[in-house]
Amino acid sequence: MKALRFYAKRDLRYEDAPYPKIEKDDEVIVKVKAVGICGSDIARYRNLGPYVPGMIWGHEFAGEVVEIGSAVTNVKVGDRVVGCPNLVCHACEHCESGHPSRCESLNTIGAYHAGAFAEYINMPAINLIKMTENMTYEQAALVEPATVAIHGLYQTNIQMGHSVAVVGCGNIGLMCIAWAKAFGAKTVYALDLDDNQLELAKKFGADVTINSSDIDFHDEIRKYCNGVDLAIESAGNAFTAARVLGLPHKGGQVVYMGIPYADVPIPRFYFEKIMRNELNIIGSWCTISAPYPGKEWTNAVEYIGNGKVRLTDMITHKKALSEGPAVFEEIMENPRGFGKVLLLPELDK
């Protein structure tokens, strides 16, 4: 089969790879129909790794079951499925207590286990969720990033009528806006440097958009309200990771979903907000809960598949798998020209 194999920094190749085999009776072979490029893929491609020579990459995918192990009962050949890419041990204290996102052995396909930038992939059956009847593969490929937002919101006490500020309107930020609305948020404030992304944020449900260039978050948000109930950091930016602390009202919450790839210096003014405002600071990691892979996945499939949450406006490019290496280089040169990029293996036929 053909696949995108990762060798070193900015060295991704479209080439032959071994067809996956069922080695355990609880495994499934899935024919990949659509797979998304994640922001974390770009960071790894640029300079972060891990670099396992020849590793098949990719983790946001959906496809069709073509082969099942002898013990598999939750899916059958021909089922259309979404794949949860997280691999856990199911045996450590965190998995057994219902918190698999804290698993001591947590891993993701594409790092040390073959991923989904390929024609076919081997997955544990427990990691597969059936698509709804009318769901497209393009919608299904957006489920994994959607679960990032949902998992983060589940860590908070968001309630109907709450106000929410989302800092960073990239793909995950847009997901956060859409799902905050689905969770019942009354007012969602979207903050970003890019006016085009702010316009897109409106399509995803943002009520107020704020270009955060050359402004103070703390002062600006108080032109609209006396602080929000919940602030979400989805940019993964060292600057915003500090200043998001100025957005909630006293007793409010901050949840961190963006991954900063640099140290985060926090000016005293913002750090003191944690204490003086008695803020609740929450970290969110991964996409899974119990029963595995969790209600994040079943709800994402249900809401996206039945059109209750519309996310496909973030898709800007649909490319053949063979175009993957060129697309990564294009993103490196002009990241603002790309939203969610989907690779469709069947376009190579």
Side-chain angles (χ1 to χ4, degrees):
M1 70 172 184
K2 294 292 187 179
L4 298 186
R5 306 180 78 179
F6 195 35
Y7 286 89
K9 181 172 68 174
R10 296 181 78 161
D11 186 359
L12 185 65
R13 309 175 195 175
Y14 177 70
E15 60 187 21
D16 290 328
Y19 183 90
K21 296 180 180 179
I22 290 180
E23 298 177 352
K24 299 179 181 178
D25 61 7
D26 63 347
E27 293 177 342
V28 173
I29 306 297
V30 177
K31 183 177 184 180
V32 177
K33 296 288 189 175
V35 55
I37 295 178
C38 177
S40 65
D41 293 330
I42 302 302
R44 290 175 59 198
Y45 181 76
R46 181 187 300 114
N47 58 15
L48 286 184
Y51 302 115
V52 179
M55 177 58 63
I56 299 173
W57 228 16
H59 61 272
E60 302 178 356
F61 79 99
E64 178 185 347
V65 174
V66 295
E67 187 177 350
I68 64 174
S70 59
V72 173
T73 58
N74 63 314
V75 295
K76 65 183 184 301
V77 172
D79 281 347
R80 302 184 317 132
V81 295
V82 174
C84 169
N86 306 124
L87 305 175
V88 300
C89 71
H90 299 289
C92 69
E93 62 176 310
H94 303 294
C95 287
E96 290 187 339
S97 66
H99 299 97
S101 60
R102 305 172 192 173
C103 175
E104 300 289 353
S105 303
L106 178 65
N107 208 330
T108 301
I109 61 171
Y112 301 100
H113 181 283
F117 286 157
E119 293 181 286
Y120 297 89
I121 183 173
N122 175 313
M123 289 293 291
I126 196 173
N127 285 60
L128 301 177
I129 304 92
K130 293 181 184 179
M131 294 165 53
T132 60
E133 183 177 355
N134 296 320
M135 193 176 203
T136 68
Y137 285 115
E138 292 173 7
Q139 289 176 306
L142 299 176
V143 167
E144 193 278 341
T147 61
V148 173
I150 299 170
H151 182 76
L153 288 169
Y154 278 147
Q155 311 310 307
T156 74
N157 68 357
I158 186 171
Q159 298 175 29
M160 187 177 295
H162 272 186
S163 57
V164 177
V166 177
V167 181
C169 296
N171 291 328
I172 295 301
L174 295 174
M175 294 283 190
C176 289
I177 293 167
W179 290 102
K181 280 294 190 178
F183 273 62
K186 179 179 180 180
T187 307
V188 175
Y189 302 88
L191 294 85
D192 199 276
L193 301 171
D194 188 331
D195 285 332
N196 290 328
Q197 290 302 113
L198 291 173
E199 282 300 311
L200 191 54
K202 293 178 183 178
K203 293 185 178 181
F204 283 75
D207 300 286
V208 178
T209 58
I210 300 171
N211 189 307
S212 52
S213 303
D214 303 321
I215 65 166
D216 182 278
F217 290 5
H218 175 268
D219 292 337
E220 191 68 21
I221 202 72
R222 279 156 183 80
K223 294 179 181 179
Y224 301 93
C225 62
N226 190 32
V228 297
D229 297 293
L230 170 64
I232 300 171
E233 206 296 319
S234 58
N237 179 283
F239 182 87
T240 57
R243 285 154 182 80
V244 70
L245 297 169
L247 295 176
H249 57 58
K250 290 179 182 286
Q253 292 187 305
V254 176
V255 60
Y256 285 92
M257 295 190 205
I259 304 172
Y261 294 107
D263 292 339
V264 181
I266 303 180
R268 177 182 173 184
F269 176 83
Y270 295 102
F271 185 82
E272 284 193 347
K273 294 297 180 185
I274 299 173
M275 298 165 290
R276 293 181 182 274
N277 287 351
E278 295 189 337
L279 299 181
N280 293 287
I281 310 300
I282 302 163
S284 179
W285 188 248
C286 205
T287 67
I288 47 179
S289 61
Y292 192 87
K295 58 185 179 180
E296 295 91 336
W297 290 86
T298 53
N299 285 341
V301 169
E302 166 69 19
Y303 275 65
I304 296 172
N306 291 326
K308 298 176 183 176
V309 174
R310 298 176 59 86
L311 303 176
T312 52
D313 281 343
M314 69 172 54
I315 300 171
T316 57
H317 296 76
K318 303 172 191 177
K319 299 285 188 176
L321 185 64
S322 61
E323 298 179 89
V327 170
F328 269 87
E329 279 301 310
E330 290 172 19
I331 294 173
M332 293 292 291
E333 296 300 322
N334 180 28
R336 290 196 175 184
F338 292 85
K340 176 57 66 179
V341 179
L342 298 185
L343 301 180
L344 311 175
E346 292 190 344
L347 290 182
D348 285 304
K349 304 302 183 183

